[in-house]
Amino acid sequence: LSRRAVLKLPDKNKRLALITTTLKVLIDEQLLLLGSERAKIDVPAHELRAAVQRDKREYPPWLYAQVLEAEQLTSDMRTKLRERHLKIQAFLQPKFDAILSPTDAELQQRFHDEWNGKSRPAMLHARQILLSSREEADRLFGQLRTGAMSFDDAAQKFGRTPEATQGGDLGWFAKGELPDPFDSCFDLEVGVVSGVKSSESGFHIFEVQEKQEARLWQFADLKDRLRQEAGMQAQRMVLDATMADLRVQFPVTTFEEPLRQVALSIAGEHK
């Protein structure tokens, strides 16, 4: 959480709430690190190097540098953060692995309680290329329309979003789930490349790959999602129990007023 990002929030109360929440998260993270130290958990150097390289591959090289700048981190600082997260993951993972997977009957019951009889909206699977200038977008659109370049290659070469490395794949979404320019995809035929669409983020080119009409949700549609939700709920319970145990092992006293003063200072409100 960078001070620059905090100061962009126009509302003072929202700034204070964000900072206070972040500080409490950092306290929890420190407790988890103490737990990992007590469990004598270490991260081998080769595993840390591999994790850092995976992080870098999630972004085009030019974008990774911008991410570091936005986070106000050096490469070494981000590596240290990655090491902390790997230690916490190694500490928690055995606890998560011990969770029993929900049965199909339990998932069926969850579906019946939460989704049975509800309608699923029309959805589509699309991909995009985001560019920084109209001129660049118009030129690339011409190449796509004539077949001089495939959408996949163009996205990987010119796209300015993280999904560019996957050919601009946006996955499935319903109308209204993403900003306005993305809703224009619902007017496209499958396989057709859109014209250039502008937004605050830049200039978009879209291609729809699949469409599905609105209908009632079926268990098969949501089985994986329900299993994931059940797993996340179980992990949350395990994490809560672990944090409660760590607070017994390493007592923490939070003084709300000093915490508030720190938040005020970070938010630029301290007198």
Side-chain angles (χ1 to χ4, degrees):
L1 177 70
S2 71
R3 189 171 189 270
R4 185 188 308 168
V6 169
L7 292 176
K8 285 183 179 180
L9 291 174
D11 185 85
K12 170 186 172 181
N13 291 329
K14 288 183 179 179
R15 291 202 300 270
L16 292 176
L18 175 60
I19 295 164
T20 301
T21 299
T22 302
L23 290 171
K24 290 180 177 179
V25 167
L26 290 173
I27 292 171
D28 285 350
E29 183 178 289
Q30 189 61 38
L31 284 171
L32 289 167
L33 283 169
L34 289 171
S36 71
E37 289 174 8
R38 177 161 288 184
K40 302 187 183 306
I41 290 173
D42 194 19
V43 178
H46 70 277
E47 288 187 14
L48 178 58
R49 285 195 300 270
V52 170
Q53 288 304 312
R54 285 196 300 271
D55 291 344
K56 289 182 177 180
R57 285 196 295 270
E58 291 182 1
Y59 304 92
W62 61 268
L63 185 56
Y64 185 74
Q66 289 188 11
V67 168
L68 289 179
E69 182 180 358
E71 294 178 344
Q72 296 182 302
L73 295 174
T74 65
S75 182
D76 286 346
M77 289 167 65
R78 206 166 200 270
T79 298
K80 286 291 185 184
L81 284 175
R82 194 71 176 94
E83 183 178 20
R84 287 165 63 93
H85 294 158
L86 286 173
K87 285 183 177 181
I88 290 172
Q89 181 181 347
F91 175 61
L92 290 175
Q93 197 60 52
K95 303 176 188 298
F96 292 158
D97 289 344
I99 297 172
L100 296 177
S101 296
T103 65
D104 280 2
E106 290 171 331
L107 295 177
Q108 286 272 12
Q109 185 61 50
R110 195 179 184 107
F111 172 78
H112 183 271
D113 293 343
E114 299 176 10
W115 294 95
N116 193 38
K118 293 184 178 180
S119 295
R120 193 200 72 173
M123 300 183 73
L124 57 78
H125 179 198
R127 51 187 180 174
Q128 75 155 338
I129 305 171
L130 178 66
L131 302 123
S132 57
S133 73
R134 166 71 71 170
E135 180 182 6
E136 184 183 20
D138 286 340
R139 182 170 59 251
L140 184 58
F141 174 67
Q143 292 179 296
L144 293 169
R145 186 173 55 182
T146 61
M149 180 174 284
S150 72
F151 199 100
D152 187 74
D153 288 343
Q156 294 192 47
K157 186 172 183 180
F158 300 109
R160 302 183 70 81
T161 53
E163 70 271 6
T165 56
Q166 284 78 48
D169 191 355
L170 295 166
W172 288 90
F173 59 93
K175 202 166 189 176
E177 287 185 351
L178 297 176
D180 288 346
F182 295 83
D183 283 350
S184 65
C185 293
F186 287 85
D187 298 324
L188 294 174
E189 297 297 325
V190 173
V192 174
V193 176
S194 75
V196 177
K197 309 291 182 180
S198 63
S199 76
E200 292 181 355
S201 301
F203 299 88
H204 309 255
I205 301 173
F206 299 106
E207 182 189 55
V208 174
Q209 297 185 287
E210 302 173 80
K211 283 187 173 183
Q212 292 183 351
E213 298 299 324
R215 59 174 173 79
L216 290 178
W217 284 107
Q218 303 294 320
F219 175 65
D221 298 327
L222 296 167
K223 183 177 179 179
D224 290 343
R225 173 176 171 173
L226 292 168
R227 188 181 302 280
Q228 183 181 36
E229 289 176 351
M232 291 175 64
Q233 185 178 36
Q235 286 188 4
R236 182 73 251 177
M237 293 173 66
V238 167
L239 181 58
D240 288 345
T242 300
M243 295 308 304
D245 182 56
L246 287 172
R247 286 187 173 89
V248 172
Q249 297 181 53
F250 308 101
V252 174
T253 301
T254 302
F255 298 94
E256 294 297 334
E257 183 54 29
L259 188 65
R260 180 175 175 275
Q261 291 302 320
V262 172
L264 284 168
S265 178
I266 297 172
E269 301 288 342
H270 189 65
K271 300 295 185 182

